[in-house]
Amino acid sequence: MDRVKDLASKKAAVIFTKSSCCMCHSIKQLFYELGASPAVHELDNDSYGREMEWALRGMGCNPSVPAVFIGGKFVGSSKDIISLHVDGSLKQLLMDARAIWF
Amino acid sequence: MIVVLFTRIGNQIGKLHHTKYKLQIIQEAGQGKGSSLHHEENINAEGSTIDSFRVSDFGAFDQSYRVEDAVDLSGNSTYNSLKVSNQTISPVSVHISNLGQLPTSLEKSQLTIQTEPHRLQLQKVQSSNPGTILVVNTDNQEESAMADASPRTDISTDLDTDDKNQPYDRNLSVVAVSDSSDRSKDKSDQKTLRRLAQNREAARKSRLRKKAYVQQLESSRLKLTQLEQELQRARQQGIFISSSGDQAHTLSGNGAMQFDAEYARWLEEQNRQINELRAAVNSHASDTELRMIVDGILAHYDEIFRLKGVAAKADVFHLLSGMWKTPAERCFLWLGGFRSSEILKLLVSQLEPLTEQQLMGITNLQQSSQQAEDALSQGMDALQQSLAETLSTGAPASSGSSGNVANYMGQMAMAMGKLGTLEGFIRQADNLRQQTLQQMHRILTTRQSARALLAIHDYFSRLRALSSLWLARPRD
């Protein structure tokens, strides 16, 4: 849990993924399209991966990946990201966190 | 002394198949004079004739007797009572000819109602004096059972000579004579009258039953042809309909069929709602009323997305295939549905005039949905590539060492996992469509939303009509 929080605060946009997860790939692509350069942490390649996944689930993230943090705060999984993107909120969040500028 | 006399009037008998008949004549000497003659014959009547059957009487009548019942069974199935009183009858020999054309089967088994039952009503006359007899001459085209003419018991069979189904005309007269003394004459008279009436009643009832059954069959047949036509029409519309009566339906098959049915119902309801909206817009209804209808339509869209979610769990490939949509719609299929960005592009021109803010909002919405669609498409591409890699690595399947088998199993397990993520993609695609519709509604005014929903529906309607035309086009 701490590790998750720790990593999440290190950059404006942080995404926790798994290398095998294709939906994570989609969300990453969306962020790149928006001009953000999120920090990507693959849980299956992290020594604490299992605990981190457990912590993410505890936060209510289902499925556990992709898990998106903007400005250190937990935003949600793919469903939340798409919803926020459609109504324009995602862009605003990114701008507020200085992940993007326009 | 009893004499049984019966004659057969009428000749034409229809085809008789495989019926046996047993003709049994029992006679019993009343006064101990003469010999009793018990005659029984089994005749298989398949168009064959038997020789005349002769029953001779024994002894002479030295008593007056009365012909109690003469049952004349004509083609009209009426019973005529023939009473001959006070006649002396000299020894009579009875000829029964052409019995081969009378298939009768007298058995004690239950009478079955066939579509063309012909049974012969038989009259039993009982008198206090030792008794009488009865001849049953029945005709039966199917294998209806007849009552057994056993000695000294009631013999009754139903005669149902239904005119319209009967290609022949037959008459049978049965005359039973008993030597009853005058004092019991009245009693047996009444009894037999009653029995006659009962027999008539029974015959009438069985005719009615037969009629009702035939009518039922006819209406079921009509219904069947109607259903077949509907099925044909529905197939033409390209809706996936699996064959009926298939016992081997898998769970996914059922999921697909169920979703198709639900989708059809959903479309009907949407048509109804859109018509209501159109009427309201054309009649310049108030904003409040419009908003109510628009909210209803949006909630209805929520419903189809919910149904698709359920169907994605049951049979994701059915949704992805688009077989639940018409062919022309399938052309534009993206991740199991329509592309929101395309819809918005169509709408912009139709929604004018838009305020500056609205125009910006719609443009942004179009761009966002486009980006989300691209992201999801890229994810799908990655999935496809990953699946291909999973199935192509490792030793070829032909080599049989256990290590390879383990590899193969491992590969399959991984591939299965990847296929499982397809459901997630369809779910997010539907989520995108749902969010786009709702955001559009937020940007536009009520009246504009109404027009937008009408435009969207008209567009898909035309696609569906195009599909029908395409499927019905004349081919060389």
Side-chain angles (χ1 to χ4, degrees), chain B residues 370-381:
Chain B
Q370 182 87 55
Q371 286 166 339
E373 284 166 18
D374 288 345
L376 287 175
S377 297
Q378 289 189 44
M380 277 293 277
D381 288 346

Side-chain angles (χ1 to χ4, degrees), chain A residues 19-27 29-31 33-34 78-88 91, chain B residues 365 367-369 371-372 375-380 382-383 386 418 421 424-425 428 431-432 435-436 439 442:
Chain A
S19 56
S20 57
C21 169
C22 295
M23 186 58 77
C24 301
H25 185 81
S26 286
I27 299 299
Q29 293 302 317
L30 187 61
F31 272 68
E33 180 68 28
L34 290 174
S78 44
K79 183 177 170 139
D80 309 298
I81 295 299
I82 288 180
S83 307
L84 289 171
H85 181 56
V86 168
D87 68 10
K91 214 169 187 183
Chain B
L365 180 59
Q367 192 185 33
S368 305
S369 57
Q371 286 166 339
L376 287 175
S377 297
Q378 289 189 44
M380 277 293 277
L383 178 61
S386 164
K418 291 193 196 291
T421 61
F425 275 97
Q428 293 313 320
N431 182 29
L432 176 60
Q435 296 297 328
T436 309
Q439 175 70 2
R442 269 179 241 131

Side-chain angles (χ1 to χ4, degrees), chain B residues 68-294:
Chain B
E68 288 289 336
D69 300 285
V71 181
D72 182 55
L73 305 164
S74 64
N76 303 329
S77 63
T78 54
Y79 291 90
N80 301 322
S81 241
L82 171 65
K83 290 206 168 140
V84 176
S85 55
N86 291 332
Q87 283 183 1
T88 43
I89 296 181
S90 49
V92 179
S93 68
V94 177
H95 268 259
I96 306 170
S97 60
N98 284 341
L99 279 181
Q101 294 189 321
L102 298 177
T104 63
S105 133
L106 306 175
E107 269 139 62
K108 240 194 179 115
S109 51
Q110 197 59 10
L111 281 171
T112 55
I113 299 178
Q114 308 285 335
T115 51
E116 306 218 354
H118 300 278
R119 294 156 296 165
L120 180 72
Q121 176 69 36
L122 190 53
Q123 202 61 0
K124 159 104 199 309
V125 175
Q126 260 178 346
S127 66
S128 49
N129 291 345
T132 323
I133 254 16
L134 222 29
V135 173
V136 176
N137 189 350
T138 64
D139 167 84
N140 195 346
Q141 289 199 2
E142 323 283 334
E143 277 155 275
S144 308
M146 299 309 199
D148 197 1
S150 55
R152 297 186 187 78
T153 56
D154 266 343
I155 304 162
S156 69
T157 49
D158 287 340
L159 169 67
D160 183 0
T161 58
D162 199 346
D163 246 356
K164 54 183 187 216
N165 295 321
Q166 195 173 345
Y168 61 92
D169 185 25
R170 249 177 92 248
N171 279 333
L172 175 71
S173 312
V174 174
V175 175
V177 178
S178 73
D179 58 343
S180 51
S181 53
D182 276 334
R183 51 168 206 274
S184 62
K185 215 183 353 171
D186 282 310
K187 257 199 209 163
S188 37
D189 233 348
Q190 284 178 4
K191 276 197 203 164
T192 42
L193 279 180
R194 216 182 314 136
R195 229 173 289 125
L196 277 176
Q198 283 172 1
N199 288 340
R200 276 195 290 274
E201 193 53 40
R204 194 174 65 84
K205 283 198 185 134
S206 70
R207 276 198 301 280
L208 289 175
R209 276 199 297 273
K210 170 178 152 186
K211 226 189 245 185
Y213 181 60
V214 169
Q215 272 177 3
Q216 214 183 354
L217 285 177
E218 291 286 328
S219 63
S220 310
R221 201 157 60 85
L222 271 177
K223 220 190 201 179
L224 184 63
T225 45
Q226 272 175 11
L227 282 176
E228 278 176 335
Q229 282 175 1
E230 268 185 53
L231 191 62
Q232 193 59 30
R233 253 179 274 133
R235 275 217 174 94
Q236 278 224 324
Q237 290 180 27
I239 296 177
F240 171 71
I241 296 176
S242 71
S243 61
S244 62
D246 185 351
Q247 296 295 332
H249 269 156
T250 62
L251 200 58
S252 68
N254 281 338
M257 273 201 309
Q258 188 175 351
F259 176 70
D260 288 352
E262 286 167 344
Y263 176 63
R265 253 180 277 137
W266 182 87
L267 264 185
E268 267 180 46
E269 174 62 18
Q270 200 199 21
N271 283 334
R272 192 196 63 78
Q273 284 180 333
I274 289 288
N275 285 337
E276 192 186 344
L277 182 62
R278 204 188 306 274
V281 167
N282 289 340
S283 67
H284 305 289
S286 69
D287 259 21
T288 336
E289 196 181 327
L290 275 183
R291 190 176 310 130
M292 219 169 55
I293 307 178
V294 165

Side-chain angles (χ1 to χ4, degrees), chain B residues 290-361:
Chain B
L290 275 183
R291 190 176 310 130
M292 219 169 55
I293 307 178
V294 165
D295 286 348
I297 295 181
L298 285 173
H300 196 56
Y301 268 109
D302 288 345
E303 179 63 17
I304 190 62
F305 292 128
R306 187 189 69 78
L307 289 172
K308 282 176 82 180
V310 172
K313 274 208 187 336
D315 190 352
V316 66
F317 287 102
H318 177 62
L319 281 184
L320 278 176
S321 73
M323 287 308 289
W324 52 283
K325 283 197 182 232
T326 62
E329 286 174 297
R330 230 174 284 151
C331 207
F332 297 91
L333 197 75
W334 174 77
L335 265 183
F338 61 86
R339 265 188 199 269
S340 318
S341 55
E342 287 296 320
I343 300 302
L344 289 170
K345 273 192 216 153
L346 297 169
L347 283 182
V348 169
S349 51
Q350 299 199 35
L351 285 176
E352 283 153 12
L354 291 170
T355 68
E356 195 63 37
Q357 198 181 13
Q358 281 180 330
L359 191 56
M360 205 167 64

